[in-house]
């Protein structure tokens, strides 16, 4: 479960990025975070992955008080949540297999288990035949699928996706959404996805949390995209 209680974030320059946020996201939910540029979406993600700490309030992720984590504990915490970005961030000199395996090597998994899990993940993201390819040999959609595979390799309970379809055309974006829905079902991961893409929000209906000027201005179950006048 993810729970934010009275969370506020003010940056050093005096910008109030988030103001008194109260939110609960249950295990297994798939939630969109929407809102205009500057509304606080990235800040919310950064509070969830431990990159920023709130000025006040509590950020709980799977019973961990993320805002109170010691700096040295943040990398270990991050191993248990998957994060996917708009730019794919695959390691260019490693094959797709190696990129996914690497995420499991750093947590000390045994070689034989790594091989089994990477095969499983490649199948889940439909890249079995791209195991030996390098990132620049794949299309954008395929690279994003590989990134998602790497993010979920360690069975995270929470997957955070920051504009995962931001660099993709509508067809590839729909494929990524199908994949995220599959991961939500098969891996039982809670998914929090920041998006600007109103077509996606309208087509793949989910709980939608809308931010504006640091406030939650709407939280709609299976809602559509809010039009801003
Ligand atoms: P969004 O992701 O919705 O575009 P952000 O969370 O990036 O919104 O930004 C919210 C507000 O905080 C904006 O006014 C932005 O300029 C400001 N902001 C974001 N990051 C920083 C930072 N590191 N230092 C100062 N201000 C920041
Ligand atoms: P998808 O929709 O599955 O992401 P595309 O329709 O974009 O894939 O690509 C179709 C095929 O073209 C894929 O099999 C992919 O391997 C290949 N391809 C696309 N972009 C590149 C590239 N930059 N270099 C090599 N192959 C590519």
């Amino acid at each position: 479960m993810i729970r934010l209680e009275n969370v506020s974030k003010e940056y050093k320059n005096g910008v109030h990025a988030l103001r008194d946020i109260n939110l609960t996201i249950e295990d297994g939910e798939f939630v969109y975070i929407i809102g205009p540029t500057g509304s606080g979406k990235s800040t919310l993600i950064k509070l969830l992955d431990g990159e920023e700490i709130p000025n006040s309030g509590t950020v709980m992720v799977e019973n961990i008080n993320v805002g109170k984590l010691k700096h040295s504990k943040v990398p270990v915490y991050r191993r248990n949540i998957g994060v996917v970005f708009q730019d794919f961030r695959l390691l260019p000199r490693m094959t797709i297999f190696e990129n996914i395996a690497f995420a499991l090597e750093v947590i000390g998994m045994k070689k034989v288990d790594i091989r089994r899990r990477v095969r499983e993940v490649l199948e889940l993201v439909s890249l079995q035949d791209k195991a030996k390819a390098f990132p620049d040999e794949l299309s954008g959609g395929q690279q994003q699928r590989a990134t998602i595979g790497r993010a979920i390799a360690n069975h995270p309970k929470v997957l955070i996706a920051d504009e995962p379809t931001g660099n993709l055309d509508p067809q590839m974006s729909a494929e990524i959404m199908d994949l995220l829905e599959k991961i939500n079902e098969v891996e039982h991961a809670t998914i929090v996805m920041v998006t600007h893409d109103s077509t996606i929000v309208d087509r793949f209906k989910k709980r939608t949390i809308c931010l504006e000027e640091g406030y939650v201005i709407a939280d709609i179950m299976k809602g559509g995209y809010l039009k801003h006048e």
Side-chain angles (χ1 to χ4, degrees), residues 28 30 179-189 191 206:
F30 192 144
L179 173 59
L180 291 174
E181 286 191 331
K182 188 158 94 176
I183 286 165
N184 183 233
E185 279 165 31
V186 177
E187 300 270 324
H188 309 291
I191 300 186
K206 321 243 168 246

Side-chain angles (χ1 to χ4, degrees), residues 23-24 29-32 206-209 219-222:
L23 267 186
T24 301
E29 272 197 270
F30 192 144
V31 176
Y32 293 125
K206 321 243 168 246
R207 178 179 171 192
T208 303
I209 295 167
D219 185 346
I220 310 161
M221 283 296 164
K222 304 220 169 199

Side-chain angles (χ1 to χ4, degrees), residues 71-147:
H71 205 64
S72 60
K73 301 267 190 202
V74 171
V76 175
Y77 163 70
R78 286 219 189 115
R79 287 174 195 169
N80 296 304
I81 54 170
V83 187
V84 173
F85 300 97
Q86 178 172 0
D87 50 345
F88 317 120
R89 303 192 190 182
L90 293 164
L91 298 164
R93 290 172 193 283
M94 286 189 187
T95 65
I96 297 307
F97 187 102
E98 289 163 350
N99 263 279
I100 299 171
F102 185 64
L104 299 173
E105 279 160 19
V106 297
I107 63 166
M109 192 185 271
K110 279 192 292 185
K111 265 208 157 81
V112 45
D113 296 329
I114 291 177
R115 239 172 281 145
R116 187 188 312 125
R117 179 59 181 158
V118 175
R119 298 251 170 259
E120 205 173 88
V121 167
L122 285 171
E123 194 170 325
L124 185 69
V125 303
S126 310
L127 289 175
Q128 303 92 309
D129 56 343
K130 299 289 176 191
K132 291 185 178 147
F134 287 91
D136 68 0
E137 295 173 311
L138 301 188
S139 70
Q142 291 170 331
Q143 288 185 55
Q144 190 58 296
R145 295 211 301 271
T147 309

